[in-house]
Amino acid sequence: MSVTDPAFWRGKRVFITGHTGFKGSWLSLWLQQLGAQVKGFALAAPTNPSVFDLCDVANGMESEIADIRDLEVIRQSMASFAPEILMHMAAQPLVRHSYLDPVKTYQTNVLGTVNVLEAARSVDNLKVIINITTDKCYHNNEWEWGYRENDPMGGDDPYSSSKGCAELVSAAYKKSFFDLAEKPKRIATVRAGNVIGGGDWAEDRLIPDILKSFEKAESVKLRNPHAIRPWQHVLEPLSGYLMLVERLWNVGDDYLSAWNFGPHQESMVTVGVIAESMASQWGSGAKVELDAGNHPHEASILKLDISRAMSQLGWAPKLSLQQALGLIIEWHKAYIENRDMREITLKQIKVFNDE
Ligand SMILES: NC(=O)c1ccc[n+]([C@@H]2O[C@H](COP(=O)([O-])OP(=O)(O)OC[C@H]3O[C@@H](n4cnc5c(N)ncnc54)[C@H](O)[C@@H]3O)[C@@H](O)[C@H]2O)c1
């Protein structure tokens, strides 16, 4: 059954911040495939190579390279496009980088979010807003139970705490402005865990590091092999965001506030299990070993409770962990073979969407 309703998306005006990034590029291609009119607003692609460049994402949408920390620029950009739907995902998304540059992390993730929502206030026809935060926005009790949407916000490192703040900013804008507007705007926040997928070259993320090592036939060194993370393919949370937009648009009130999008329990496995499963799917040349060095604190257990999305939205993860890892390896091998990555990525999206 199709994940999205193509009739809904055809011709819809969608404004995405962060479209040059990993998740933003996959989302932009998905929206292009659905026939939406898309405008992206972001700084240049954060990595080289990137899905954005390899898949020629800008070809098929309007793309503006600019900074969400500049209120006037984002205000003008949004006003001139006049979107009906806004999906905000521009951010400084790396925990380790947030220790190195906390000020920029807060400026981007907190004040940047204020600027985006402020710009949204004056767009009359804008009806639905999704603010993409993270599972790390929760106060982490390091316990074995999954976090629910009504658990307290927190964050021990600057990145996590900045995203907890972005949640609070959204809640305040909802109550102070969007609910009270002449034409109310429907806003929800979405919290997903570590996503994985073809073309993620961000620093300090496990899958890119593993693939880089496999490619060079070097041993993979794992920082934190026993850490459990809620692994999911990038298409899983994106499908949740798209379903949520449709529901917010068509129905409204019951779909406001926060949503978790995480994997089933069986995909919550350790970093070590991920590395070993990938090594066995990759084939010869793949080796895994542990790194015993000292590293900054990162929460070791983080699980999401996805009951709300499953029962109220009818969303559920579609791929098993092995299928998700298989898609990544298929994508990466196609990249190494210099194949048409736009075509490969659109094909993976289509199969996921339609089957
Ligand atoms: N990748 C994950 O595992 C993951 C997990 C949970 C949440 N998220 C969230 O999803 C969103 C996208 O993450 P991603 O993995 O695609 O990150 P990414 O680094 O690949 O992309 C970030 C995007 O934000 C843009 N950006 C950064 N600073 C900006 C600024 N000042 N002005 C305008 N644009 C700016 C970048 O240019 C890029 O387009 C982020 O909000 C992130 O916090 C990601």
Side-chain angles (χ1 to χ4, degrees):
M1 208 181 79
S2 176
V3 169
T4 50
D5 172 7
F8 172 84
W9 289 99
R10 208 164 299 124
K12 281 275 180 330
R13 301 180 70 76
V14 187
F15 191 98
I16 306 180
T17 69
H19 68 296
T20 60
F22 170 62
K23 284 170 80 171
S25 293
W26 278 88
L27 179 61
S28 298
L29 287 176
W30 197 337
L31 288 165
Q32 289 176 26
Q33 192 166 69
L34 288 168
Q37 294 182 59
V38 191
K39 177 168 183 179
F41 183 103
L43 294 177
T47 59
N48 183 14
S50 65
V51 180
F52 185 72
D53 291 327
L54 282 172
C55 297
D56 198 10
V57 173
N59 180 10
M61 66 188 289
E62 272 183 59
S63 169
E64 182 170 345
I65 301 302
D67 196 325
I68 55 167
R69 289 169 296 173
D70 188 331
L71 175 59
E72 277 323 304
V73 173
I74 179 84
R75 211 201 290 270
Q76 275 172 28
S77 177
M78 228 188 277
S80 69
F81 183 69
E84 301 168 287
I85 295 163
L86 163 65
M87 303 180 83
H88 170 45
M89 55 170 67
Q92 189 305 95
L94 302 172
V95 172
R96 297 237 287 180
H97 191 78
S98 80
Y99 283 106
L100 299 175
D101 199 344
V103 173
K104 189 172 171 198
T105 301
Y106 283 107
Q107 283 170 340
T108 306
N109 297 359
V110 187
L111 287 174
T113 298
V114 172
N115 289 343
V116 170
L117 297 185
E118 189 58 29
R121 280 177 66 197
S122 30
V123 182
D124 251 13
N125 287 334
L126 178 54
K127 185 164 163 184
V128 170
I129 303 171
I130 303 278
N131 181 17
I132 287 93
T133 66
T134 172
D135 59 355
K136 295 188 172 70
C137 66
Y138 290 110
H139 172 70
N140 192 336
N141 298 301
E142 309 231 350
W143 62 22
E144 69 204 77
W145 300 286
Y147 292 90
R148 284 184 296 209
E149 285 86 350
N150 54 1
D151 280 327
M153 296 292 95
D156 291 338
D157 61 86
Y159 168 68
S160 305
S161 123
S162 74
K163 286 290 190 169
C165 296
E167 286 277 346
L168 302 181
V169 168
S170 296
Y173 262 74
K174 176 183 179 303
K175 286 217 163 135
S176 309
F177 306 115
F178 298 143
D179 286 352
L180 309 178
E182 205 173 306
K183 285 198 239 162
K185 301 188 192 313
R186 298 166 178 173
I187 182 167
T189 59
V190 289
R191 303 163 182 172
N194 277 28
V195 293
I196 56 179
D200 185 2
W201 277 282
E203 285 165 51
D204 273 345
R205 287 201 189 139
L206 179 71
I207 304 283
D209 289 350
I210 292 177
L211 289 169
K212 267 181 233 153
S213 307
F214 288 177
E215 227 179 297
K216 294 190 220 151
E218 286 170 0
S219 256
V220 175
K221 293 193 176 56
L222 297 178
R223 253 190 307 137
N224 213 348
H226 303 296
I228 297 175
R229 291 278 185 274
W231 307 101
Q232 60 187 337
H233 193 274
V234 62
L235 292 172
E236 305 276 23
L238 295 184
S239 71
Y241 306 166
L242 294 174
M243 288 171 78
L244 182 58
V245 169
E246 289 181 22
R247 221 57 78 77
L248 280 165
W249 184 283
N250 292 329
V251 186
D253 288 354
D254 293 346
Y255 295 91
L256 298 165
S257 77
W259 297 84
N260 287 342
F261 293 104
H264 287 306
Q265 183 69 28
E266 56 270 21
S267 296
M268 298 195 191
V269 300
T270 63
V271 163
V273 167
I274 290 282
E276 273 160 7
S277 306
M278 288 186 72
S280 71
Q281 289 206 41
W282 182 272
S284 67
K287 278 173 281 165
V288 178
E289 78 184 52
L290 311 186
D291 170 7
N294 252 341
H295 299 283
H297 173 266
E298 254 193 72
S300 61
I301 300 177
L302 219 161
K303 292 185 187 170
L304 284 178
D305 181 330
I306 55 172
S307 314
R308 183 178 188 212
M310 288 181 70
S311 63
Q312 292 182 33
L313 204 56
W315 173 88
K318 286 181 92 170
L319 304 169
S320 69
L321 185 58
Q322 293 307 321
Q323 285 172 318
L325 296 176
L327 284 180
I328 295 169
I329 288 172
E330 175 192 68
W331 197 100
H332 200 77
K333 288 194 165 171
Y335 159 72
I336 293 172
E337 289 159 11
N338 265 325
R339 303 218 353 237
D340 179 340
M341 295 317 295
R342 185 178 173 95
E343 192 185 307
I344 299 283
T345 310
L346 284 169
K347 191 198 84 192
Q348 291 196 344
I349 293 171
K350 186 155 175 43
V351 170
F352 181 92
N353 188 66
D354 293 352
E355 284 177 6

